[in-house]
Amino acid sequence: MDKATYEIVSAVGWISAVQGGLGTAGRLWGEQPWGLLHKWWDIPTPGYVVLLAVGLAIALTAEAGRKRGAKAAPGAPGA
């Protein structure tokens, strides 16, 4: 994958993780979930925890892949 693809996948992962974290925190320490997702869907607390974990996994995998690609081919286009 090229650098732009890693950037997009990483951004989607971080946004998902933040929404999962906000939803979980809002359910645990507030009256309702925080973030945007609760405005469209009624997601249970374990769903927010899964969203946080999957978002982190996607973001960290994309970041690692981007760094690995930069080390493997320092002169290659998109690295």
Side-chain angles (χ1 to χ4, degrees):
M1 287 194 289
D2 62 345
K3 185 177 179 181
T5 304
Y6 282 120
E7 296 283 334
I8 292 169
V9 171
S10 177
V12 168
W14 287 120
I15 290 169
S16 300
V18 166
Q19 288 298 312
L22 287 172
T24 302
R27 291 271 182 152
L28 293 177
W29 294 295
E31 294 180 8
Q32 66 178 3
W34 303 328
L36 290 175
L37 295 180
H38 76 278
K39 294 183 184 287
W40 298 306
W41 299 288
D42 184 26
I43 302 172
T45 304
Y48 281 114
V49 173
V50 169
L51 186 62
L52 171 63
V54 170
L56 281 175
I58 290 170
L60 295 175
T61 302
E63 293 287 335
R66 184 172 53 98
K67 290 178 182 176
R68 191 175 335 121
K71 285 182 183 179

